[in-house]
Amino acid sequence: MLDYRVLTFLTLYDEMNYRRTAEKLNMTQPGVTQHIHCLENYYGVKLFKYDGHTLSRTNNAERLKRYFDSINAEEADIREKFIPTDTVHMTVGATKTIGEFVIVPEIRSFLQDPKHNLDLIIDNTENLLHMLEKAEIDFAVIEGVFDKSKYAYHLFKKEAFVGVCAKSHPFANKTVTLEEIFAENIVVREPFSGTRTLLHNAVTDRGFSFDSFKRCISVSNFSVICDLVANNGAITFAYQPISRCRDDLAVFSVADMQISGEFNFVYCNERIAKEKIKLIFS
């Protein structure tokens, strides 16, 4: 069980406001301040600081947060091991491309053993990382961009990130220019998704934005995205496995914009996560 002062620190880290932290923990603001000062005195470092009226975290707070997240994962693991059972249960998070199009064979193989049980949570990167910090999932399989300074991780695989269009679209199986794709309607994922961030970075690195497209449509569901692309003349960008999910889709590339992305296993506690990852992805 984490010390109550640690819980105060973790809450303030999330809220970044002493008043809201006090309300959430049913404490007084001086009580929150006292807990933080106690931790700062114990570790001999400053954890939070004010720049004017704006509260910010120090680098030491980031390091301590990562350590406490690891301890939280360790505690969740030991609680699970105290339950007498001969079954193996895991809770795994995956971003949408990976969960829907990449890891299904591994999940199917894992579940062939009747003693194996699994909760698979498919969500966007931001939500999965938040669940990871709260020890609500054992590990996550995440596509694209995340803050690697805050989490332990290792590479699962790399995939090409390609343009996707209808087979009847003029772009199908061709290389086109940036100017040509900006004349199109584009369908992108919702904010904070890994694929949207990857595409956004590629476009802005070349001095443009999503506003450069004829129209930008945001959709959080891949089936809807595929339908819009296949039937409405729009384009999208996605990892290559998605382009193979339907016969009416084709790929295209953009000159001078070859993109690939990483699929990473992400976790807070390396020892625990790697043991569980091996059970599914051996």
Side-chain angles (χ1 to χ4, degrees), residues 207-225:
F208 298 95
S209 71
F210 285 161
D211 291 336
S212 303
F213 289 92
K214 179 181 178 182
R215 183 168 49 160
C216 183
I217 305 157
S218 178
V219 177
S220 64
N221 182 279
F222 270 123
S223 295
V224 176
I225 291 174

Side-chain angles (χ1 to χ4, degrees), residues 112-214:
Q112 284 179 351
D113 188 325
K115 292 183 179 180
H116 288 174
N117 199 3
L118 176 76
D119 293 328
L120 177 63
I121 299 169
I122 299 174
D123 209 329
N124 65 40
T125 300
E126 183 183 49
N127 289 340
L128 291 177
L129 293 176
H130 186 69
M131 295 178 71
L132 200 62
E133 293 173 5
K134 302 296 184 185
E136 294 172 353
I137 55 179
D138 295 309
F139 64 90
V141 197
I142 288 176
E143 67 205 53
V145 181
F146 64 97
D147 189 344
K148 291 182 176 179
S149 69
K150 292 185 177 181
Y151 307 94
Y153 65 94
H154 68 271
L155 183 68
F156 174 31
K157 62 168 69 175
K158 287 189 175 183
E159 284 283 356
F161 193 69
V162 297
V164 182
C165 62
K167 275 195 172 178
S168 58
H169 195 283
F171 288 180
N173 303 310
K174 293 181 180 179
T175 298
V176 299
T177 65
L178 273 173
E179 289 73 19
E180 286 178 292
I181 67 170
F182 290 147
E184 299 289 323
N185 295 324
I186 188 167
V187 187
V188 298
R189 286 276 310 284
E190 76 279 7
F192 307 114
S193 69
T195 52
R196 180 182 177 126
T197 301
L198 188 62
L199 178 61
H200 176 269
N201 290 348
V203 170
T204 55
D205 284 349
R206 288 156 180 81
F208 298 95
S209 71
F210 285 161
D211 291 336
S212 303
F213 289 92
K214 179 181 178 182

Side-chain angles (χ1 to χ4, degrees), residues 48-90:
F48 299 92
K49 61 183 180 181
Y50 276 100
D51 183 7
H53 295 291
T54 303
L55 185 66
S56 62
R57 310 177 186 102
T58 67
N59 290 336
N60 290 316
E62 300 288 0
R63 292 175 62 189
L64 197 60
K65 172 66 161 55
R66 184 167 173 174
Y67 169 72
F68 287 147
D69 286 344
S70 177
I71 295 299
N72 205 21
E74 194 89 43
E75 184 186 15
D77 182 65
I78 198 68
R79 283 200 310 268
E80 184 178 294
K81 287 178 178 175
F82 281 146
I83 302 172
T85 179
D86 60 350
T87 63
V88 176
H89 179 270
M90 281 190 278

